Amino acid sequence: TVFGLGIIYVADEKLNASSFVRTLRTFSTGAVIALDYKINFRPDPLLVNSLEDLHARNSERLYMLLRKNGGLYLKMGQAIAMQAAMLPPQFQARFARFFDDAPHNEWSDVERVICAEFDGRTPEEVFGVIEHKPRASASVAQVHYARLPEGREVAVKVQKREIALQVRWDLWAFKAVMYLYDKFFDLPLYPLVPYISERLRSETDFLNEANNARRAMEEINSDPGLHSRVYIPRTYDELSTHRIMTAEWITGARFTDKAALAAMDVKPVEPMHILIDFICAQIFLWGDVHCDPHPGNLFVRRVPSSSGGKGKGTTQLVVIDHG
């Protein structure tokens, strides 16, 4: 029996990106969390000292589940973190970590994806000089710096190799857990499944992201109050596929990096005002909304003043990740 389970485990890890094991982990952890709240979420908890301790231990359970499973689960963790105002403080503190860099894949995995997407050509044949170590890593992809033969600096966003295998299992597990929560714990979450599933599938299609980025830039350029204050990096169709997106390389400071902003002589209130104006324009004027504006997707830079003067330049918000 142990030998057979070992074979299943190895086969799942090597051939199925650990999808079966990740799904079992999801069901078991989800059941533990649900039962813990079912038993102890009351003024005088039965098996815990206080509600604060209850929230703390379940936030740790959920955090470790999403972290271990990776992939789309990290994206779900970011979504939870974005709802900080609706969550107990224990969840807010724990899930803020999801805005930091996620674990990255080895170069051999990146090379396999690039070769598969570009008819067997090597990364160097496609992009010229490309760094093997990623500059950033997120939930479903990582970004490598490259310099094309003609000298253009680009950011190559490569989908993690396992995502294509995991997405079907992950969405099935998500649907099943939401059904069980709705059926047995009276949590009306199942109606959210179709919309969230569709959005997550579209987010793994980088051609969709490239189209969204172009549309966002067109809308920004049409607005006199935003066209010099918000920037979307240009994408390159000839170097983009469903699993790879190539865009111009942008250097800037993270939206929440106060030290880097101070070094550029930018007060934090400046990019915040720009972000508010940008989101309001999306909601009230254009109807196309960036639904993942977390700090990892927002950068700040200084650009020369359009007037050509010798001042410190214009503060500009750079928005990425339009999946």
Side-chain angles (χ1 to χ4, degrees):
T1 301
V2 174
F3 181 71
L5 290 174
I7 292 177
I8 293 174
Y9 178 84
V10 172
D12 181 55
E13 181 181 20
K14 299 298 183 183
L15 303 177
N16 205 30
S18 298
S19 296
F20 182 66
V21 170
R22 293 161 74 253
T23 300
L24 287 178
R25 187 185 295 132
T26 299
F27 276 99
S28 60
T29 304
V32 169
I33 292 173
L35 287 172
D36 198 7
Y37 273 108
K38 189 77 171 179
I39 295 170
N40 295 300
F41 192 66
R42 59 189 68 199
D44 297 310
L46 298 177
L47 302 175
V48 68
N49 293 329
S50 66
L51 287 178
E52 288 75 16
D53 290 344
L54 177 67
H55 293 318
R57 75 184 184 189
N58 282 300
S59 67
E60 177 67 16
R61 285 168 175 160
L62 186 55
Y63 174 83
M64 292 307 299
L65 166 68
L66 301 182
R67 187 76 180 179
K68 286 181 179 178
N69 279 359
L72 292 183
Y73 284 84
L74 292 178
K75 182 63 66 178
M76 295 175 192
Q78 291 177 348
I80 293 172
M82 289 294 290
Q83 308 302 319
M86 301 170 59
L87 297 172
Q90 294 78 9
F91 281 85
Q92 297 176 26
R94 185 74 63 191
F95 280 77
R97 299 183 197 172
F98 280 113
F99 293 136
D100 297 329
D101 286 347
H104 66 270
N105 282 9
E106 297 298 324
W107 173 250
S108 58
D109 289 329
V110 175
E111 194 170 27
R112 288 172 64 181
V113 173
I114 293 176
C115 288
E117 293 297 298
F118 289 101
D119 301 320
R121 287 188 288 165
T122 67
E124 289 72 21
E125 289 174 330
V126 177
F127 297 106
V129 177
I130 180 170
E131 292 183 352
H132 289 196
K133 183 178 180 180
R135 294 287 186 96
S137 181
S139 51
V140 300
Q142 58 194 58
V143 176
H144 292 258
Y145 169 87
R147 188 171 66 252
L148 303 181
E150 64 270 26
R152 284 181 295 173
E153 294 181 300
V154 296
V156 183
K157 182 176 181 178
V158 183
Q159 187 175 115
K160 294 178 178 177
R161 186 179 63 86
E162 66 274 12
I163 294 298
L165 291 172
Q166 291 175 349
V167 64
R168 292 187 296 273
W169 280 85
D170 290 349
L171 291 179
W172 177 83
F174 168 67
K175 179 178 180 180
V177 170
M178 293 301 100
Y179 175 81
L180 293 174
Y181 274 25
D182 190 299
K183 185 77 172 177
F184 297 106
F185 299 101
D186 298 321
L187 294 173
L189 300 174
Y190 192 74
L192 299 174
V193 168
Y195 176 78
I196 293 177
S197 298
E198 179 188 354
R199 293 300 92 199
L200 288 175
R201 284 195 187 95
S202 68
E203 193 167 346
T204 60
D205 183 349
F206 291 172
L207 292 181
N208 174 66
E209 178 178 348
N211 291 333
N212 289 344
R214 279 192 293 272
R215 186 164 70 244
M217 197 67 225
E218 291 171 359
E219 291 165 342
I220 290 167
N221 289 336
S222 70
D223 190 308
L226 288 174
H227 77 274
S228 64
R229 301 165 65 213
V230 181
Y231 188 75
I232 311 295
R234 175 190 172 191
T235 59
Y236 299 102
D237 289 346
E238 69 277 13
L239 295 172
S240 298
T241 70
H242 290 287
R243 300 173 70 194
I244 293 174
M245 190 184 77
T246 305
E248 64 178 307
W249 183 265
I250 299 293
T251 301
R254 279 204 173 191
F255 187 78
T256 53
D257 190 339
K258 293 183 179 180
L261 295 179
M264 295 191 300
D265 194 22
V266 173
K267 297 179 179 179
V269 71
E270 293 182 65
M272 180 58 73
H273 282 166
I274 298 173
L275 178 61
I276 291 172
D277 289 345
F278 175 53
I279 291 178
C280 286
Q282 288 185 311
I283 294 173
F284 298 113
L285 297 179
W286 309 328
D288 293 323
V289 182
H290 190 304
C291 294
D292 196 19
H294 67 74
N297 290 336
L298 303 170
F299 294 88
V300 181
R301 66 175 182 172
R302 286 286 196 188
V303 295
S305 175
S306 58
S307 62
K310 296 183 179 180
K312 60 184 180 181
T314 302
T315 300
Q316 192 174 70
L317 182 68
V318 180
V319 185
I320 64 173
D321 198 350
H322 301 265

